[in-house]
Amino acid sequence: NVIPAALPRAMDESGVTLNWVFAGDNELQLINAHPTYVESHRGLSLVYQDAQGHAVTYVIFPGAATVAMPEAERVRIEQWRPVIRKENGFSLIMWKQQGLFCVLVADLVSDDDLARLKQHFIKVRSATDLVYSRQ
């Protein structure tokens, strides 16, 4: 699997350093990386494409302490308890990891699609070692 050439620059510009990244497998391929800005917060987006052609975006932001994770919305996925939401035709799986707020976003909203997104979450979450470098 090939890591996108844009990844080092995107990590530098976002302030989010990945010591290891899920580059893909036969079901999910990392195709792009870019810095992301939401409401003046900078972060990092990793864009994957699944075998059916769906984009699955993994967005990582510093400042997890400021984000509320409603206990009632948490679900168990293996050893983790992320929040899952469906909004405006997208499914979001949200979690906190090492001081970072992480979101996996995809247009996978049916029950079968959501089951597939949960499998993508397991791959990405178990493979990613995150470090935030304050610059």
Side-chain angles (χ1 to χ4, degrees), residues 37-63:
Y37 298 88
V38 174
E39 296 180 359
S40 77
H41 298 282
R42 68 181 182 155
L44 175 66
S45 288
L46 301 179
V47 182
Y48 294 88
Q49 186 171 26
D50 73 10
Q52 292 75 32
H54 293 276
V56 178
T57 305
Y58 176 27
V59 188
I60 307 157
F61 288 102

Side-chain angles (χ1 to χ4, degrees), residues 57-112:
T57 305
Y58 176 27
V59 188
I60 307 157
F61 288 102
T66 63
V67 179
M69 298 286 285
E71 197 62 34
E73 294 182 48
R74 289 179 177 264
V75 298
R76 174 139 325 264
I77 302 176
E78 291 200 356
Q79 69 265 37
W80 303 288
R81 292 186 62 243
V83 168
I84 296 183
R85 286 192 183 150
K86 291 182 183 179
E87 295 184 13
N88 300 319
F90 291 91
S91 292
L92 295 85
I93 299 180
M94 301 176 283
W95 70 98
K96 294 179 182 182
Q97 182 179 346
Q98 295 169 294
L100 298 165
F101 177 62
C102 305
V103 184
L104 204 60
V105 182
D107 64 346
L108 299 168
V109 293
S110 73
D111 289 344
D112 288 346

Side-chain angles (χ1 to χ4, degrees), residues 18 79 124:
L18 302 172
Q79 69 265 37
V124 168

